[in-house]
Amino acid sequence: MPEKVMPGPVEDASGIREAVCIHTRKIYDSCRDKDCIEDLRFYPKLQYVDVINRALSVKGGCAHLLYVYVDVEPVSFNRGFYTVDMRFFYSVSLQAYLSSPVPVTVEGLCVFDKRVLLFGSEGNAKIFSSELRTGEPDLQMMRRANAPVAVVEAVDPIVLDARLMEGCGRRDCDCDLCEVPTFVNNCFDGELSSGDDSRRIYVTLGQFSIVRLERDSQLLIPVYDYCMPEKDCTCGTGGSCNEDPCSIFRNISFPVGEFFPPNTIRKNDDYEGAKFCGACGQ
């Protein structure tokens, strides 16, 4: 059995100089998802309600992820496991077609709820530090235990479909717009519809996300050397703050494809190609 490594200098042929203790967040569990979110309710801005009521059809445009609210709760029947509840808030732009062949861009909000179960271990130590803000309560002193921290990483979703429906029949997933954070509302230049419109739009989004549970830990890691930057500071990739713009232009390849359309169109089988083929002008 190898001898236990202790903090301090290390004699090692691979270049490790010493073993040091660091304080960081250790990932205990993680998962990734490729969600196809069908029939997600679209809450338009009030100024577009009349446009939607007169629209003949709608087509997908683009969507931007504004914010994800994350909550972590322990699972009582399974020690060390936690539920991670997430609420995604999206800004969605769609193309509404009236009698004119030119579509009208309508903007609104979509909300998606998601829950995952992950292992986060257990910890009952109460954490205190000297990072106390004057005149404000120390949130760390209010914690009952050292709970894991949930981290959600997500990219902007892809708008896969959009449909118009009459509002006479409510669906189980329908609800009036409520509990939207103020800063999310402020992202829209105007008031949002409350959800009681006569005609409704349902969109389908494709969402990629990664969820993980982290916990504060002390880890022993190998150190090779101090991390000294090797690159000099410059104003840009060219290395000069006042580089001739014509010189920059001369380094750009001639756009042959713009003058000679290809004989075939490559299928969008990756995220970048699928996301930027919508009607967002991108």
Side-chain angles (χ1 to χ4, degrees), residues 128-172:
F128 305 92
S129 74
S130 60
E131 298 178 357
L132 175 64
R133 297 182 179 180
T134 305
E136 298 182 16
D138 187 353
L139 297 180
Q140 299 175 91
M141 296 178 62
M142 301 171 63
R143 295 182 182 177
R144 291 183 176 270
N146 180 14
V149 177
V151 178
V152 179
E153 295 183 2
V155 296
D156 286 335
I158 303 170
V159 179
L160 302 175
D161 188 28
R163 295 185 295 115
L164 265 174
M165 292 192 64
E166 299 297 332
C168 55
R170 293 178 63 91
R171 297 187 174 191
D172 294 337

Side-chain angles (χ1 to χ4, degrees), residues 61-93:
C62 61
H64 299 286
L65 179 61
L66 299 176
Y67 178 70
V68 181
Y69 171 78
V70 186
D71 181 60
V72 179
E73 294 293 338
V75 179
S76 57
F77 57 85
N78 203 347
R79 290 181 57 184
F81 283 82
Y82 297 79
T83 57
V84 182
D85 291 288
M86 295 156 279
R87 172 163 286 187
F88 294 70
F89 295 93
Y90 303 106
S91 171
V92 180
S93 299

Side-chain angles (χ1 to χ4, degrees), residues 212-224:
R212 63 179 183 264
L213 280 184
E214 303 175 346
R215 184 181 289 278
D216 286 347
S217 302
Q218 294 186 63
L219 302 178
L220 185 65
I221 65 169
V223 173
Y224 293 90

Side-chain angles (χ1 to χ4, degrees), residues 151-204:
V151 178
V152 179
E153 295 183 2
V155 296
D156 286 335
I158 303 170
V159 179
L160 302 175
D161 188 28
R163 295 185 295 115
L164 265 174
M165 292 192 64
E166 299 297 332
C168 55
R170 293 178 63 91
R171 297 187 174 191
D172 294 337
C173 57
D174 284 358
C175 60
D176 293 336
L177 190 61
C178 60
E179 297 183 2
V180 178
T182 303
F183 65 88
V184 172
N185 272 322
N186 293 339
C187 294
F188 299 91
D189 187 18
E191 187 178 354
L192 294 171
S193 170
S194 61
D196 55 353
D197 310 318
S198 59
R199 301 187 76 190
R200 298 170 182 174
I201 295 178
Y202 294 90
V203 301
T204 299

Side-chain angles (χ1 to χ4, degrees), residues 234-250:
T234 61
C235 295
T237 56
S240 175
C241 299
N242 300 311
E243 188 168 355
D244 181 13
C246 290
S247 298
I248 298 176
F249 177 73
R250 281 193 289 269

